[in-house]
């Protein structure tokens, strides 16, 4: 079961609900989002029904949820959520807008990052992506600049005004990444790194959760539930392609994930066509497909000189391809009734 609190519910009202549930032998997990606060209940549902929680001050609704993921389920939150990113709340990812996120896959140098950030901004991006920590399949591949990379991203934000999303790979680094970034990304290899999910759940920064290479929709949403259960409902899901038998592309973009997960969960969904395809020439058509099936945003790799990139150069956009992605992001979402949040 979940208890939905009214917007702006007082701390005392939330604490009273938690105390009543715990007094009945249950556990209560408080998750705070921009729009509302939800209290997830674990324990004897029959006992909870006798607590008359609906009558308590600050309570809007009590919902019995059949899905194993309670807090991120559409059952307890029928309206799609909008997640706000940035210190000034400039970027809104949700059902009414379409957002372009772009930037370098990896922060290599300050100059390369600033140039890519300016390319992203010129293309209409309202958020900057970039990796300071890069978990790679090969231990010999470029692993990122770490804290130095975070500092470069923070300076790129100052130069462009674009909020930053960047990956965190270790629970011990969550605090320093949150200090420099506006949104924390959980990469595909860490989707089921449960200590890391719990760590970012305790931070008051939005989280982008990428789907695992072979994860089902339920496994993906259960991973999001780990974050929500620790108190953070500001979660954006990211479909970045799954591993199939096909070898012509790096991964296979599961376009059905967007409408399917929208039906299961209230969380927004971003599509990453760069990592899905692994090929520059496929990014534009996959971006169009993502928009057509209802994605709330796309996240694109850009690089001024992809041939010299230390990470994922073959999928990075520049020149005509980047201009075409920008055009698709400006023109296509409005056909589906969305406000285009593109510069």
């Amino acid at each position: 079961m979940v208890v939905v609190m009214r917007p702006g519910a007082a701390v005392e009202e939330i604490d009273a609900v938690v105390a009543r549930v715990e007094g009945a032998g249950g556990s209560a997990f408080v998750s705070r989002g921009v729009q509302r606060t939800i209290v997830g209940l674990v324990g004897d549902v029959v006992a909870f029904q006798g607590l008359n929680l609906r009558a308590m001050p600050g309570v809007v609704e009590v919902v019995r949820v059949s899905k194993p993921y309670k807090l991120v389920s559409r059952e307890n939150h029928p309206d799609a959520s909008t997640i706000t990113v940035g210190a000034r709340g400039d970027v809104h990812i949700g059902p009414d807008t379409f957002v372009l996120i772009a930037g370098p896959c990896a922060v290599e140098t300050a100059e390369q990052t600033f140039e890519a950030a300016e390319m992203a901004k010129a293309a209409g991006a309202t958020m900057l992506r970039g990796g300071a920590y890069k978990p790679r399949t090969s231990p010999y591949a470029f692993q990122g600049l770490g804290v130095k990379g975070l500092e470069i991203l923070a300076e790129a934000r100052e130069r462009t005004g674009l909020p930053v999303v960047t990956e965190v790979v270790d629970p011990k680094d969550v605090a320093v990444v949150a200090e420099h970034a506006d949104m924390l990304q959980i990469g595909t290899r860490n989707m089921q790194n449960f200590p890391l999910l719990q760590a970012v759940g305790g931070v008051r920064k939005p989280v982008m959760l990428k789907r695992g290479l072979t994860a089902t929709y339920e496994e993906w949403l259960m991973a999001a539930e780990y974050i929500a259960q620790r108190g953070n409902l500001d979660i954006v899901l990211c479909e970045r392609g799954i591993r199939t038998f096909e070898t012509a592309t790096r991964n296979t973009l599961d376009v059905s994930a967007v409408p399917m997960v929208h039906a299961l969960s209230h969380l927004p969904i971003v599509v990453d066509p760069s990592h899905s395809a692994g090929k520059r020439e496929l990014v534009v058509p996959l971006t169009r497909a993502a928009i057509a099936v209802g994605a709330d945003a796309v996240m694109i790799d850009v690089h001024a000189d992809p041939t010299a990139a230390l990470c994922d150069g073959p999928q990075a956009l520049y020149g005509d391809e980047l201009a075409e992605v920008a055009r698709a992001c400006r023109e296509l979402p409005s056909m589906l009734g969305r406000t285009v949040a593109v510069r």
Side-chain angles (χ1 to χ4, degrees):
M1 295 179 71
V2 295
V3 177
V4 181
M5 306 300 294
R6 64 173 173 80
V11 173
E12 294 79 8
E13 293 172 334
I14 298 169
D15 289 345
V17 171
V18 172
R20 184 170 294 188
V21 170
E22 292 179 345
S27 299
F29 297 90
V30 179
S31 297
R32 293 175 172 85
V34 172
Q35 296 175 315
R36 65 173 75 185
T37 296
I38 295 174
V39 183
L41 311 185
V42 178
D44 186 351
V45 174
V46 175
F48 295 155
Q49 290 174 335
L51 297 179
N52 196 22
L53 296 172
R54 283 186 176 84
M56 296 187 68
V59 174
V60 172
E61 191 176 9
V62 178
V63 183
R64 184 167 183 172
V65 181
S66 61
K67 301 292 186 189
Y69 39 90
K70 311 296 183 186
L71 301 173
V72 305
S73 170
R74 190 65 94 148
E75 284 184 89
N76 87 74
H77 194 319
D79 297 327
S81 290
T82 296
I83 306 304
T84 302
V85 185
R88 298 190 303 270
D90 293 338
V91 178
H92 304 279
I93 304 176
D96 299 322
T97 60
F98 183 81
V99 175
L100 172 59
I101 306 167
C105 184
V107 175
E108 302 165 8
T109 66
E111 292 73 22
Q112 164 259 351
T113 303
F114 299 153
E115 189 169 7
E118 293 295 345
M119 291 170 60
K121 184 175 181 179
T126 52
M127 280 187 65
L128 175 65
R129 63 144 309 152
Y133 296 89
K134 297 299 299 179
R136 308 293 297 282
T137 301
S138 169
Y140 306 109
F142 177 62
Q143 304 288 321
L145 300 179
V147 174
K148 178 60 178 176
L150 294 175
E151 293 170 349
I152 291 171
L153 285 170
E155 186 173 345
R157 176 179 55 216
E158 293 303 312
R159 291 178 176 226
T160 62
L162 303 180
V164 168
V165 55
T166 192
E167 186 169 355
V168 58
V169 300
D170 193 309
K172 69 178 176 58
D173 295 323
V174 168
V176 68
V177 175
E179 179 185 345
H180 290 84
D182 300 283
M183 173 181 267
L184 281 64
Q185 176 184 305
I186 302 295
T188 186
R189 293 169 180 82
N190 277 310
M191 190 206 79
Q192 289 184 310
N193 182 340
F194 300 121
L196 180 59
L197 299 177
Q198 291 170 329
V200 299
V203 175
R204 296 298 295 154
K205 285 287 178 76
V207 177
M208 179 184 291
L209 177 64
K210 285 197 164 188
R211 184 183 180 185
L213 282 172
T214 58
T216 65
Y217 299 149
E218 183 170 296
E219 289 167 338
W220 190 13
L221 292 171
M222 289 300 289
E225 190 80 3
Y226 268 88
I227 300 170
Q229 193 192 56
R230 291 290 165 155
N232 190 349
L233 268 175
D234 295 330
I235 306 164
V236 173
L237 302 170
C238 181
E239 163 60 39
R240 47 82 68 205
I242 55 174
R243 180 169 291 164
T244 68
F245 57 83
E246 184 54 68
T247 59
T249 55
R250 179 176 178 178
N251 299 291
T252 299
L253 178 62
D254 180 9
V255 292
S256 63
V258 176
M260 188 69 241
V261 176
H262 270 154
L264 296 172
S265 174
H266 59 87
L267 300 179
I269 305 178
V270 175
V271 168
D272 180 349
S274 298
H275 285 85
S276 298
K279 295 185 176 183
R280 185 176 303 110
E281 63 271 22
L282 296 180
V283 173
V284 172
L286 292 184
T287 295
R288 293 176 182 143
I291 296 170
V293 294
D296 301 300
V298 291
M299 187 162 66
I300 305 293
D301 286 3
V302 301
H303 199 290
D305 184 8
T307 60
L310 298 180
C311 179
D312 293 343
Q315 68 195 35
L317 297 192
Y318 66 104
D320 291 343
E321 290 96 350
L322 181 56
E324 193 58 35
V325 160
R327 189 163 79 93
C329 292
R330 284 195 305 269
E331 297 178 0
L332 298 183
S334 59
M335 297 180 184
L336 302 175
R338 290 178 178 263
T339 299
V340 182
V342 175
R343 294 176 186 267

